[in-house]
Amino acid sequence: MSKPHIIIIGSGWAGFYLADYLSPTLYTVTIISPRRTSAYTPLLASAACGLFNFYLAEEPIRSKSRKCRFLKANVTTISFPTKTIHCAPAFDDDTDPITNQPFDLQYDYLILAPGCIPNTFGTPGVLDHALFMKNVSDAMATRKRLFDLLEKASLPTCPPARKAELLHIAIVGGGPTGVEITAELDDLAHRELIDLYPDVAPYLHISIYDVAPHILGNYERKLHEYANEKLVRRHVAVETNTRIEKVDREALYVKGKGRVPYGMLMWVTGNKATDLVMEMQDVRKSEKGLVRVLTDRHLRVFKSSGSMDEVWDDVFALGDAADIVGASLPTTAEVAVQKAKFLVGVFNSRRQGEEAAFGVPAAMPFTYAEKQLVSYIGSRDGIIAGRGDREGWTGRSAWLAWRSGSVMWTRSWRNRIVILLTWILNGVFGKEIAKM
């Protein structure tokens, strides 16, 4: 008897966890993604700023210990009634008629975890000129861009006014990602760059732009005000209630302020649904805010037609691209991993030859175990949100909690040990940030 075929779409937090832990004894597992690695997104800013090597911030999908099939492709359409997905190979500038040929796959179970893409809100010029922070290639581009700007500013032909323009780092997005990138870059400027580039490092300055009235909106007032005060004290310009109208190669244009020159622009404003989710038929999707595939509490996808409770029994969705009706959760790595653990438990609990048990009373519904929000704000300082009767707190203990939590995101003990050793070496000898 052949094993049921599970197809996973996406190699982010949810998809990668499923590929890692679904039983190869019970299932034939295929994971489809345009990227051959899975990024540890909380580690990308640290890697970009030299806290450790880039390879430690991602994990290859192909592995001797991972018994699944990987296909580097994009899923273009899905036929739910026939259990068929249509795919196109994901290779840039591939004109080979054989390797660039579309193909179809059949599934017994389908797990949708395609993630999201950066939301530019239709702002002209962003896709052409901004850097993002979604994968390791983005982190590498950020480091390269920063050092190119420092070298340009160091040239004898560069006047002071131009140095200041080149070394203005504009970060659009005042959420945890934007603030943590700001914190890491500010630490780098004051601890390493001041020695490597003593003539131009003082010109480096960072601005955070956000349309909201304050940064770190998910935190209580006392904590986001604390973070704002600490950043401003370190001469970071916090520009809230700000709308970016357009972007060109050398400047962003702020409503009410006009042209603001920059050397590096980072866009970390939030998520937008992928083309696959937007064009997906036969499934119910959210109508307000971020478009997400809607599921029940067992993560089964609702049908777009029929009764409100009718689901596709063999189709599941999780990660940033999915949400539970009546129990909406944020688009975070923690939510994605907890949902993936739930599905692994249900799938792997069946016996060989049996159908997997979904739905009441065969399986308990998914419940999210909320964890405290933690963010780094620079200079070995952090904030931790309160929970229940316990108030949030700040300071070095919050920074240590954030830093230790970053290490635990990696699934490899080898990587964890290397990261810890790298931090120790950085503390003794300084970062080797200038090595590209």
Side-chain angles (χ1 to χ4, degrees):
M1 183 178 180
S2 61
K3 294 181 289 187
H5 184 202
I6 298 177
I7 292 181
I8 304 165
I9 299 176
S11 61
W13 286 101
F16 188 72
Y17 187 95
L18 287 158
D20 229 4
Y21 291 104
L22 283 172
S23 171
T25 303
L26 298 176
Y27 306 99
T28 298
V29 179
T30 299
I31 182 168
I32 302 173
S33 172
R35 304 193 68 83
R36 61 174 61 90
T37 61
S38 180
Y40 297 125
T41 47
L43 305 182
L44 293 177
S46 298
C49 294
L51 266 73
F52 42 77
N53 201 296
F54 288 114
Y55 80 88
L56 296 170
E58 64 181 355
E59 191 81 23
I61 298 171
R62 293 187 183 274
S63 170
K64 290 180 180 180
S65 62
R66 196 168 296 115
K67 306 301 181 184
C68 67
R69 179 170 66 152
F70 168 66
L71 296 175
K72 191 176 187 301
N74 287 302
V75 176
T76 54
T77 58
I78 303 171
S79 174
F80 295 101
T82 63
K83 295 189 175 184
T84 305
I85 64 170
H86 309 283
C87 308
F91 299 96
D92 297 333
D93 303 320
D94 187 2
T95 58
D96 189 316
I98 296 177
T99 58
N100 201 34
Q101 186 175 348
F103 58 91
D104 295 345
L105 292 174
Q106 298 287 131
Y107 65 83
D108 294 299
Y109 296 105
L110 178 65
I111 301 177
L112 304 172
C116 291
I117 57 177
N119 194 348
T120 67
F121 299 96
T123 308
V126 172
L127 289 175
D128 294 325
H129 305 295
L131 295 172
F132 303 95
M133 193 59 74
K134 299 288 282 186
N135 49 62
V136 168
S137 60
D138 293 333
M140 295 176 74
T142 298
R143 188 190 294 190
K144 182 180 185 304
R145 179 64 175 163
L146 176 61
F147 276 87
D148 283 349
L149 292 170
L150 287 163
E151 297 297 351
K152 288 180 180 180
S154 299
L155 295 173
T157 55
C158 189
R162 184 56 179 155
K163 293 180 195 291
E165 292 179 349
L166 288 173
L167 296 179
H168 176 213
I169 301 175
I171 297 175
V172 180
T177 301
V179 170
E180 287 166 11
I181 292 171
T182 300
E184 298 283 21
L185 287 169
D186 187 65
D187 285 352
L188 178 66
H190 288 95
R191 293 177 187 168
E192 275 76 34
L193 299 185
I194 197 69
D195 295 322
L196 292 172
Y197 297 90
D199 296 330
V200 299
Y203 289 93
L204 194 149
H205 56 293
I206 304 171
S207 301
I208 301 179
Y209 298 90
D210 200 290
V211 70
H214 50 77
I215 60 172
L216 297 172
N218 290 334
Y219 288 86
E220 57 200 89
R221 180 176 177 178
K222 179 180 70 174
L223 295 179
H224 68 66
E225 287 183 348
Y226 174 88
N228 191 98
E229 178 188 345
K230 290 293 185 178
L231 290 170
V232 170
R233 190 178 297 178
R234 294 201 299 274
H235 306 292
V236 173
V238 180
E239 305 283 352
T240 53
N241 291 308
T242 300
R243 187 174 298 278
I244 309 301
E245 295 182 316
K246 67 175 182 177
V247 169
D248 63 27
R249 186 176 180 180
E250 295 184 341
L252 47 83
Y253 295 80
V254 180
K255 186 176 182 179
K257 294 184 179 180
R259 185 177 186 273
V260 180
Y262 71 84
M264 181 167 72
L265 170 64
M266 304 203 66
W267 196 272
V268 285
T269 56
N271 294 319
K272 178 182 176 182
T274 63
D275 290 342
L276 175 64
V277 170
M278 293 299 294
E279 297 169 9
M280 201 175 290
Q281 304 295 318
D282 301 322
V283 300
R284 198 191 311 171
K285 291 177 276 191
S286 57
E287 297 178 354
K288 296 181 180 180
L290 174 64
V291 177
R292 305 169 79 181
V293 176
L294 295 177
T295 74
D296 65 6
R297 291 177 184 267
H298 300 275
L299 309 188
R300 299 173 298 183
V301 172
F302 281 109
K303 294 182 178 181
S304 59
S305 58
S307 69
M308 293 297 289
D309 296 330
E310 195 170 354
V311 297
W312 295 101
D313 289 321
D314 45 22
V315 182
F316 306 83
L318 66 168
D320 292 353
D323 204 10
I324 299 173
V325 172
S328 183
L329 292 169
T331 55
T332 65
E334 183 61 41
V335 173
V337 170
Q338 287 194 31
K339 285 186 176 182
K341 288 180 178 179
F342 167 81
L343 269 190
V344 166
V346 175
F347 272 105
N348 289 354
S349 65
R350 80 174 185 91
R351 296 176 183 174
Q352 195 162 1
E354 291 181 342
E355 290 290 326
F358 299 101
V360 180
M364 294 295 292
F366 170 77
T367 56
Y368 176 60
E370 186 176 0
K371 293 191 175 182
Q372 289 175 292
L373 287 173
V374 185
S375 290
Y376 181 49
I377 60 173
S379 194
R380 297 182 178 177
D381 194 0
I383 59 174
I384 298 182
R387 186 171 61 180
D389 296 333
R390 186 175 183 181
E391 291 188 354
W393 72 92
T394 63
R396 181 160 294 199
S397 62
W399 165 69
L400 289 172
W402 177 82
R403 193 64 93 196
S404 60
S406 298
V407 176
M408 297 310 295
W409 278 118
T410 65
R411 299 188 183 93
S412 165
W413 277 104
R414 176 180 177 176
N415 284 4
R416 291 173 184 171
I417 292 170
V418 173
I419 289 174
L420 289 171
L421 288 175
T422 303
W423 286 349
I424 293 171
L425 292 173
N426 288 345
V428 176
F429 301 107
K431 301 175 188 175
E432 292 186 293
I433 184 66
K435 287 188 176 181
M436 297 302 294

